[in-house]
Amino acid sequence: MTETLSWLDQVRWNSDGLVPAIAQDAKTGRILMMAWMNREALETTAKLKQAVYFSRSRNKLWHKGETSHHVQNVQEIRLDCDEDVIVLMVEQIGGIACHTGRESCFYRVFNDGEWQVVEPVLKDPSEIY
Amino acid sequence: MTETLSWLDQVRWNSDGLVPAIAQDAKTGRILMMAWMNREALETTAKLKQAVYFSRSRNKLWHKGETSHHVQNVQEIRLDCDEDVIVLMVEQIGGIACHTGRESCFYRVFNDGEWQVVEPVLKDPSEIY
């Protein structure tokens, strides 16, 4: 690439070359998930206007929804004051961000000394993947 | 401590003993900031019902608002499906979460190949700290 990518240089990637990326539903405001991005993931996300993360377990780019078809259309990309965290405002296709078949990955609430599941499975994960 | 803290054991702390913690404004839904927590920070947050993070730069607990008085009253603590990210639903006292004097740390939006500041400074940081 010959163009100057100063906006990517401005991000403070950690020692593994990653930053956390938080996906928030643009309509409801729900925080759907947090995953990680490397430089290529962020650049691709901006280009496609769909969320592309970096899978640390599979050690490669992860186009969210590539198998489930629950892609995230990205309406806005934000950067924080320390330049080391990203927020994506997204339209969550299918209404399900979590691999458990729930809307959001944050379906457990701390209560009475334990993590309690407070949200339903909307679709059997075996039907998603 | 003699009691069993299984809810803290359930969190998948990273190799540095930390997890990311996202603070979301309970009223507006705005994502205010992301910081890090160690075990003691999360336990103290649950006990005080105020956000206590772990400062990686100062290497110690950081009771948010200890100098600015902009504390975060915690209404809810959530855990994600992978058990390695926390969301706090908070009441942000003073209406300012960011050390730059803005409501949220995510005040820059990617546009036309650059990060553009789209939110005002509500209070001079020198008056906060």
Side-chain angles (χ1 to χ4, degrees):
Chain A
M1 312 220 29
T2 52
E3 57 182 326
T4 305
L5 292 174
S6 59
W7 69 282
L8 288 168
D9 294 330
Q10 206 173 333
V11 176
R12 288 182 14 184
W13 311 98
N14 72 12
S15 56
D16 293 324
L18 303 174
V19 288
I22 304 160
Q24 182 175 28
D25 190 298
K27 211 165 43 186
T28 66
R30 278 297 302 274
I31 298 178
L32 299 174
M33 57 182 284
M34 196 210 87
W36 294 81
M37 286 186 170
N38 64 3
R39 191 181 172 96
E40 190 183 356
L42 180 55
E43 188 176 14
T44 309
T45 296
K47 199 186 299 175
L48 297 182
K49 298 189 191 305
Q50 290 196 336
V52 176
Y53 302 101
F54 180 81
S55 168
R56 295 179 301 172
S57 55
R58 289 175 291 159
N59 201 40
K60 62 172 189 174
L61 286 194
W62 163 40
H63 187 162
K64 171 73 179 168
E66 61 194 357
T67 54
S68 66
H69 306 300
H70 293 169
V71 299
Q72 294 175 333
N73 293 329
V74 174
Q75 300 181 355
E76 197 175 80
I77 305 176
R78 290 196 175 228
L79 180 66
D80 77 337
C81 53
D82 292 331
E83 295 158 345
D84 60 2
V85 184
I86 298 285
V87 165
L88 305 177
M89 297 298 285
V90 306
E91 175 196 17
Q92 176 61 66
I93 300 302
I96 294 175
C98 186
H99 76 285
T100 66
R102 294 180 176 87
E103 178 191 6
S104 163
C105 295
F106 296 92
Y107 58 81
R108 281 182 282 201
V109 172
F110 178 67
N111 192 25
D112 275 347
E114 58 180 31
W115 300 105
Q116 298 181 344
V117 173
V118 294
E119 296 191 14
V121 172
L122 301 177
K123 192 169 181 180
D124 186 333
S126 68
E127 293 174 27
I128 303 177
Y129 297 95
Chain B
M1 312 221 27
T2 54
E3 57 182 326
T4 304
L5 292 175
S6 59
W7 70 282
L8 288 168
D9 294 331
Q10 206 174 332
V11 176
R12 289 182 14 186
W13 310 98
N14 72 11
S15 57
D16 293 324
L18 303 174
V19 289
I22 303 160
Q24 182 174 28
D25 188 297
K27 210 165 45 188
T28 66
R30 277 298 303 274
I31 298 178
L32 300 174
M33 57 182 284
M34 197 211 87
W36 295 80
M37 286 186 170
N38 64 1
R39 190 181 172 96
E40 190 184 356
L42 180 55
E43 189 177 13
T44 309
T45 296
K47 199 186 299 175
L48 296 183
K49 298 190 191 305
Q50 290 196 336
V52 176
Y53 303 101
F54 180 80
S55 168
R56 295 179 302 172
S57 55
R58 288 176 290 161
N59 201 40
K60 62 172 189 174
L61 286 194
W62 163 39
H63 187 163
K64 169 74 177 167
E66 60 194 357
T67 52
S68 65
H69 306 301
H70 293 170
V71 298
Q72 295 175 333
N73 293 328
V74 174
Q75 301 182 357
E76 197 174 80
I77 305 174
R78 290 194 174 231
L79 181 66
D80 78 335
C81 52
D82 292 331
E83 296 159 343
D84 60 2
V85 184
I86 298 285
V87 165
L88 306 177
M89 298 296 286
V90 305
E91 175 197 17
Q92 176 61 65
I93 300 301
I96 294 174
C98 185
H99 77 286
T100 65
R102 293 179 177 87
E103 178 191 5
S104 163
C105 295
F106 297 93
Y107 57 83
R108 280 181 284 202
V109 173
F110 178 66
N111 192 24
D112 274 348
E114 58 181 31
W115 300 106
Q116 298 182 344
V117 174
V118 294
E119 297 190 14
V121 172
L122 302 177
K123 193 169 179 179
D124 185 333
S126 68
E127 294 173 28
I128 303 176
Y129 297 96

